[in-house]
């Protein structure tokens, strides 16, 4: 779950979309690991493929942004109570 | 024996404080459940159950007080000879049961909140404590300060845990949580002297301030979450 949140956060910090190779580097993931996470995130509609000017990037969806906010709130709640 | 210690002039405020307390506690329960659905961490679920139990306790006393303060049917019927006795008995039992459930749920709720972050699993000791809490809730019907004393003892343990957590991480949110629990603990001390009119009002007011602080905390958590993402 932590890695999922990191991936979403990295994409948001990059303005909502990022190249696959940049994401792999920034999230410190292997190619196979990233493939697995992206498949999972896309099947849950948190991320989507974006194509513009023959460039392929990964974009965060509205659902992905909402998920990221909710997850940050949960983390805040947990740390408040020392859980 | 006196059933409630609320002075006449404070009757409506008393009910209002219970409503606010219930709403804040229920809000914490909702947030904990939503958090659990996302993180699947059991301690969050149990913490939510703890808040729910206290909320149900508040609801129980709220409903009992509403009937006690505003139900005039019973008062009108008290003058009638033979039936009166059984009505009064039933009403007495209803009030007794209402306040008993308030004590029982509140004690178990606070115990849950204390127990969950302190230890990750329930042991045989929990069964013994549950039995003692049940006895406390039962006996407090006649020895009212026993209940407040037990809640105070659990609150001190909760405060200790939160203090250690605050010392370790120095989080502003934990500090707010600590303050609200300290206020709640002080209110319990004032409840000991409920038979003195001013003390009951002071205790209820402190409880209100404590729950408003908790409400402020949940708003802050939601706001910070949005900013951090």
């Amino acid at each position: 779950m932590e890695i999922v949140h990191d991936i979403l956060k990295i994409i948001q910090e990059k303005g909502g979309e990022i190249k696959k190779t940049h994401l792999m580097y920034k999230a410190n993931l292997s190619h196979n690991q990233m493939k697995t996470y992206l498949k999972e995130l896309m099947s849950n509609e948190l991320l989507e493929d974006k194509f513009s000017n023959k460039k392929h990037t990964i974009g965060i969806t509205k659902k992905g942004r909402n998920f990221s906010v909710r997850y940050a709130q949960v983390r805040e709640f947990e740390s408040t109570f020392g859980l | 024996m006196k059933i409630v210690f609320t002075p006449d002039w404070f009757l409506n405020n008393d009910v209002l404080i219970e409503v606010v307390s219930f709403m804040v506690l229920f809000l914490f329960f909702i947030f904990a459940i939503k958090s659990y659905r996302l993180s699947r961490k059991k301690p969050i679920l149990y913490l939510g159950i703890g808040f729910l139990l206290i909320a149900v306790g508040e609801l129980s006393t709220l409903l009992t007080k509403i009937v006690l303060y505003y139900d005039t049917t019973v008062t009108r019927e008290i003058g009638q000879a033979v039936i009166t006795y059984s009505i009064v008995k039933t009403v007495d039992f209803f009030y007794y049961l209402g306040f008993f459930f308030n004590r029982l749920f509140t004690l178990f709720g606070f115990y849950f909140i204390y127990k969950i972050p302190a230890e990750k699993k329930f042991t045989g000791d929990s069964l013994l404590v549950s039995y003692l809490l049940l006895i406390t809730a039962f006996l407090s019907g006649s020895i009212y300060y026993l209940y407040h004393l037990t809640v105070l003892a659990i609150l001190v343990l909760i405060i200790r845990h939160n203090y250690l957590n605050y010392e370790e991480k120095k989080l502003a949110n934990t500090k707010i949580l600590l303050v609200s629990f300290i206020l709640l603990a002080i209110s319990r001390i004032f409840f000991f002297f409920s038979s003195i009119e001013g003390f009951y009002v002071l205790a209820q007011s402190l409880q209100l301030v404590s729950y408003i602080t908790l409400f402020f905390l949940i708003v802050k958590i939601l706001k910070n979450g949005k900013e951090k993402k």
Side-chain angles (χ1 to χ4, degrees), chain A residues 43-56:
Chain A
S43 67
N44 284 304
E45 295 168 352
L46 300 177
L47 292 181
E48 61 188 358
D49 282 312
K50 286 196 166 184
F51 299 95
S52 59
N53 300 331
K54 290 181 184 174
K55 258 173 64 182
H56 176 212

Side-chain angles (χ1 to χ4, degrees), chain B residues 12-66:
Chain B
N12 291 330
N13 301 324
D14 195 18
V15 171
L16 199 68
I17 289 172
E18 307 287 356
V19 172
V20 173
S21 305
F22 170 76
M23 283 167 69
V24 173
L25 289 160
F26 198 71
L27 197 69
F28 261 89
F29 163 69
I30 297 284
F31 189 69
I33 292 301
K34 279 189 170 180
S35 300
Y36 169 70
R37 282 170 64 188
L38 197 69
S39 71
R40 294 279 155 197
K41 287 183 183 170
K42 285 275 168 68
I44 296 183
L45 175 69
Y46 294 140
L47 189 73
I49 293 172
F51 278 110
L52 177 68
L53 287 172
I54 307 172
V56 172
E58 288 293 333
L59 187 67
S60 171
T61 193
L62 177 68
L63 295 175
T64 311
K65 278 182 179 176
I66 286 173

Side-chain angles (χ1 to χ4, degrees), chain B residues 55-171:
Chain B
V56 172
E58 288 293 333
L59 187 67
S60 171
T61 193
L62 177 68
L63 295 175
T64 311
K65 278 182 179 176
I66 286 173
V67 175
L68 186 65
Y69 296 168
Y70 305 112
D71 186 8
T72 50
T73 327
V74 175
T75 321
R76 275 206 303 273
E77 284 180 89
I78 277 173
Q80 293 168 14
V82 187
I83 320 159
T84 307
Y85 178 75
S86 64
I87 290 171
V88 171
K89 274 284 175 200
T90 315
V91 170
D92 271 357
F93 183 69
F94 170 76
Y95 296 146
Y96 179 81
L97 211 63
F99 289 119
F100 169 75
F101 281 126
N102 162 251
R103 294 190 297 268
L104 189 70
F105 285 122
T106 307
L107 283 168
F108 273 95
F110 279 119
Y111 180 64
F112 257 72
I113 292 174
Y114 154 68
K115 185 76 180 170
I116 298 312
E119 285 172 44
K120 301 297 176 200
K121 58 181 180 181
F122 280 91
T123 58
D125 289 352
S126 302
L127 276 176
L128 180 66
V129 174
S130 301
Y131 170 72
L132 292 173
L133 292 181
L134 187 71
I135 295 286
T136 304
F138 182 74
L139 290 178
S140 299
S142 45
I143 318 165
Y144 75 92
Y145 55 83
L146 185 65
Y147 159 67
H148 296 298
L149 192 68
T150 313
V151 173
L152 179 66
I154 303 171
L155 277 170
V156 168
L157 293 170
I158 294 173
I159 289 167
R160 182 183 167 272
H161 166 77
N162 283 306
Y163 176 73
L164 293 175
N165 186 29
Y166 175 71
E167 279 295 298
E168 192 186 328
K169 295 173 188 163
K170 298 279 179 197
L171 293 173

Side-chain angles (χ1 to χ4, degrees), chain B residues 167-215:
Chain B
E167 279 295 298
E168 192 186 328
K169 295 173 188 163
K170 298 279 179 197
L171 293 173
N173 283 354
T174 311
K175 196 175 184 178
I176 297 169
L177 186 69
L178 195 59
V179 168
S180 69
F181 277 126
I182 288 171
L183 287 171
L184 213 52
I186 297 171
S187 80
R188 290 294 154 179
I189 297 170
F190 284 125
F191 272 122
F192 292 163
F193 309 101
S194 292
S195 48
I196 307 165
E197 191 177 298
F199 277 91
Y200 181 81
V201 175
L202 205 61
Q204 284 281 20
S205 308
L206 262 178
Q207 186 177 304
L208 178 68
V209 175
S210 166
Y211 284 124
I212 288 173
T213 312
L214 276 179
F215 177 73

Side-chain angles (χ1 to χ4, degrees), chain A residues 24-37:
Chain A
M24 198 168 85
Y25 166 72
K26 282 193 173 283
N28 205 15
L29 295 170
S30 70
H31 181 69
N32 280 341
Q33 280 176 320
M34 201 183 69
K35 251 176 75 179
T36 313
Y37 281 114

Side-chain angles (χ1 to χ4, degrees), chain B residues 210-227:
Chain B
S210 166
Y211 284 124
I212 288 173
T213 312
L214 276 179
F215 177 73
F216 172 70
L217 175 65
I218 199 105
V219 171
K220 194 169 177 292
I221 288 173
L222 293 173
K223 202 174 154 227
N224 283 1
K226 266 187 184 173
E227 283 164 7

